[in-house]
Amino acid sequence: GENVEQHPSTLSVQEGDSAVIKCTYSDSASNYFPWYKQELGKRPQLIIDIRSNVGEKKDQRIAVTLNKTAKHFSLHITETQPEDSAVYFCAANLFSGGGADGLTFGKGTHLIIQP
Amino acid sequence: DVKVTQSSRYLVKRTGEKVFLECVQDMDHENMFWYRQDPGLGLRLIYFSYDVKMKEKGDIPEGYSVSREKKERFSLILESASTNQTSMYLCASSQDRASSPLHFGNGTRLTVT
């Protein structure tokens, strides 16, 4: 079936370095790609999203890139800080029949920032 | 700011019990969702609703049902709880069906013994 693959499952980086998380999706009709951050014991919260009409979007230290041809999108975090430690989820809207069936999530990446 | 409220933070039920998980949102969103979160499996969609009294199955609807009698309230029902339904359940709402951000509740940690 339609799905979203996310890699890596765990990522450990030194504080101040960059982190990159990658996702691929299967439905060429997908046009909305959000990223969520979930801190321990808390709800997932949107940190950035991108639509299919743009290839890149940036918000301070966070950026997302989208390659529609290859059907993959990536989250880039620069100058990582301890508070960036969390689980990150990518998602895409997958279509079946005549309408969108909601967002399908990747399995998550546990990002660990080493001091 | 959107507020999605789930009625219970922690719940312990016995096998075979009927369980109700309640969710209320205050932003007049048309769309509401129930997800299940398990370690290593991410968030999986159980059911969603795009209007009052309307419901659609998600990826893992077996063993669950839902009710949406009012726009602001979306209930998840476990007809006969089983131990494999022990999980974190997250409710969410959104303005558009699948092209706007989801706003999540704090989650309900359900344990079935």
Side-chain angles (χ1 to χ4, degrees), chain A residues 1-83:
Chain A
E2 307 286 8
N3 61 18
V4 177
E5 301 280 343
Q6 181 172 349
H7 299 279
S9 57
T10 303
L11 178 60
S12 182
V13 301
Q14 290 293 123
E15 184 178 347
D17 288 351
S18 295
V20 181
I21 303 170
K22 299 181 179 181
C23 288
T24 60
Y25 60 98
S26 54
D27 188 352
S28 56
S30 296
N31 58 15
Y32 178 62
F33 309 91
W35 285 89
Y36 289 83
K37 175 184 180 181
Q38 186 177 30
E39 297 176 18
L40 190 62
K42 296 189 176 180
R43 72 184 79 186
Q45 294 200 299
L46 180 77
I47 53 171
I48 195 166
D49 56 9
I50 192 168
R51 299 182 191 277
S52 59
N53 56 347
V54 297
E56 185 174 357
K57 184 176 179 180
K58 194 171 181 181
D59 182 5
Q60 298 182 336
R61 297 187 296 108
I62 293 173
V64 57
T65 57
L66 171 65
N67 183 327
K68 282 220 74 178
T69 303
K71 290 190 280 188
H72 68 71
F73 56 114
S74 301
L75 178 72
H76 304 254
I77 305 174
T78 58
E79 300 171 15
T80 53
Q81 300 169 4
E83 54 265 36

